[in-house]
Amino acid sequence: MKNQESDFSKIVDAGVSRRRFLQGGATAMGMFLAANPVAQAVAASTQPESKLLGFTKVATSTADTFVVPEGYVARPLISWGDPILKGAPAFNENGQQPASAQAGQFGDNTDGMSFFPLTEDRALLAVNNEYTNYKLLFDHKGQAMTADDVKKAQAAHGVSVFEIKRTADGWDYVSDSDYNRRITAYTEMQLTGPAAGHDLMKTGADASGTKVLGTFNNCANGETPWGTYLTCEENFNGYFAAPGEGVELDQHQKRYGLKAKDRGYQWYKFDDRFDMTKEPNEPHRHGWVVEIDPMDPTSTPLKRTALGRIKHENAAVTVADNGHVVVYMGDDERGEHIYKFVSANKYQPGNNAANRNLLEDGTLYVARFDAAEGDVKGKGQWLELTYGKNGLDSSNGFNSQAEVLIYAREAATVVGATTMDRPEWVAVHPQTKTVCCTLTNNSERGVKPGQPVGGPNPRAENKYGQIVRWREAGGDNSATTFDWDLFLVAGNPTIHKDFYAGSANINDENMFNSPDGLGFDQAGRLWIMTDGKYSNMESYAGMGNNQVLVADPETGEVRRFATGPIASELTGLTFSPDQRTVFIGVQHPGEKDKPSHFPAGGNSKPRSTIMVVQRKDGGIIAA
């Protein structure tokens, strides 16, 4: 462990102390560096050639297709509306299929996903279905909603679990498998942990505060060593409304982005759960990490309140050397925070009956990143979010651990957590246990109070994003202190000659904006997926459609692996155990009426789709 820590220190020192700014003439560079010491610190050093990246880089693209490197092949596995339950009808793009059809079909807007092996040639995929686009879901484009339409929209959300099998052409999904399951916005779930049963969790439909219907806006994911799937509830606030004149929301509701005005989903009109004037506590029952057993289609999903209520992006799980389970989480909103949960009990290999309760009890922390002025590396501390500690008591409005967890964002503010540039996916290196998190962008940085420029958020009105990296003290993922640096700073070096060009491992051949999805493969390659601006104009000129990139964590080299179709986000990433197949999600192609017809082409309706990517020679992906 000592050697791993030393290796991390060498990587950080090499990346920061030897960094030099490569853009512009000597005079202009000198003037800029003198005025901006942060740019001087972040500009990257010349990297040695990567031994991990063995594929030919892909150029940017604005085409309505999914592009992979030379020597690779990609094909659709499943698309929104494909049937996965027995008796479900085939997809009809006329927008007139009822809720009962969608309830048996693959959900919309595929996002985070995980691969669960059954045998060498069979497996389950558990996939998030984040939201839906009414212009595509309904023939009336959401302008004449009925109760069944709301039920249909709710059925398009949640999670899809389905079997896949290896074939001569790669992998296909099994439409009639007994494992297949849809988990939607009206599936019954159980609340567990400290907040379960609290008065703030009780509603007219559930006086116990322990049973809740549904999960929705499921963004990214995680998987546990005991074989369960973690789905993360992100922008749950957008589904609630408080109709009527003069409704004033309280500080708790405002902090979580709840508004009186409907955002367009119109669920409150036909489902009282989403009318806050009737059920003010219902929003407290969403914004959690949900644990699902993909192997048992009859199992009840469990909302794990010990992990806190935020706008969860993903849940990156690792086992610390001392046996405690650690879950890293980002809260995806401008000026919010990075969290860590450490289980009270230890993981017991082979004893899944005991392991199934590890996420029910533990300690939640939130991160503070410290740095000297102008530095983009430093120390950090995990601040405990426990009732009675660090000011989390009645003097600051908290009366129990349940309230600390229900209002985790406010607790994070009380203890002094660092506000971040939209923390999204977190990933843990499989060997070194170093942790990375995408900070996708933040137009409010340096503009809004409480969001100063500095440390891991070094640019005002950040439109490009960055990736922060840290290593826990002693290599112990359950530790309460860490060292951090910036792995990369995205930018556009073709139009900027200052810090907005990005770090120097970003160039005109690999530039991108808004890193979002993130994951390591078994060899330690860092996979980066983007959800950014695809206008290909002005600040984003030359970047093309959203993309997948692969980076070498040691050398810093970044190489583009894939590009998506028009107006899509590339998100969701999982590998087969042999690392010879990668599954990548294409979300919302053709959003905002952009001219996409992916994947079927012609004049077809665009559909979110999971792509299967393999090498033609059957080799290891990206090697």
Side-chain angles (χ1 to χ4, degrees), residues 143-157:
Q143 300 303 307
M145 296 292 287
T146 66
D148 191 71
D149 288 336
V150 167
K151 197 80 168 178
K152 179 180 178 180
Q154 292 175 336
H157 288 67

Side-chain angles (χ1 to χ4, degrees), residues 227-303:
T228 58
Y229 182 70
L230 303 181
T231 185
C232 299
E233 299 175 340
E234 191 191 20
N235 294 310
F236 66 91
N237 57 299
Y239 299 82
F240 293 89
E245 294 296 325
V247 176
E248 182 66 27
L249 302 186
D250 65 29
Q251 65 177 26
H252 304 301
Q253 293 168 316
K254 290 178 181 178
R255 181 62 187 271
Y256 282 85
L258 292 157
K259 295 185 181 299
K261 185 177 180 181
D262 175 60
R263 303 289 183 86
Y265 281 105
Q266 305 176 60
W267 291 6
Y268 77 96
K269 294 181 178 179
F270 302 98
D271 190 336
D272 285 349
R273 291 186 294 149
F274 298 94
D275 185 337
M276 291 185 290
T277 64
K278 297 177 180 178
E279 292 290 1
N281 282 346
E282 186 67 28
H284 300 151
R285 295 146 65 88
H286 305 279
W288 305 101
V289 172
V290 186
E291 186 172 8
I292 298 168
D293 181 358
M295 300 297 178
D296 181 1
T298 68
S299 60
T300 300
L302 306 172
K303 294 202 176 190

Side-chain angles (χ1 to χ4, degrees), residues 478-552:
S478 67
T480 56
T481 60
F482 56 89
D483 294 304
W484 70 268
D485 79 329
L486 290 181
F487 173 66
L488 64 77
V489 178
N492 192 329
T494 67
I495 64 171
H496 292 293
K497 302 304 177 186
D498 58 15
F499 196 29
Y500 294 92
S503 48
N505 53 347
I506 302 302
N507 54 57
D508 59 0
E509 294 185 344
N510 68 5
M511 62 182 179
F512 62 93
N513 73 90
S514 301
D516 186 341
L518 200 66
F520 285 101
D521 61 21
Q522 288 182 4
R525 301 176 192 88
L526 182 62
W527 290 71
I528 305 164
M529 297 167 283
T530 72
D531 177 22
K533 300 291 186 181
Y534 42 74
S535 66
N536 208 38
M537 298 171 57
E538 299 175 342
S539 295
Y540 310 99
M543 292 183 172
N545 295 344
N546 276 307
Q547 52 193 280
V548 177
L549 305 107
V550 187
D552 183 327

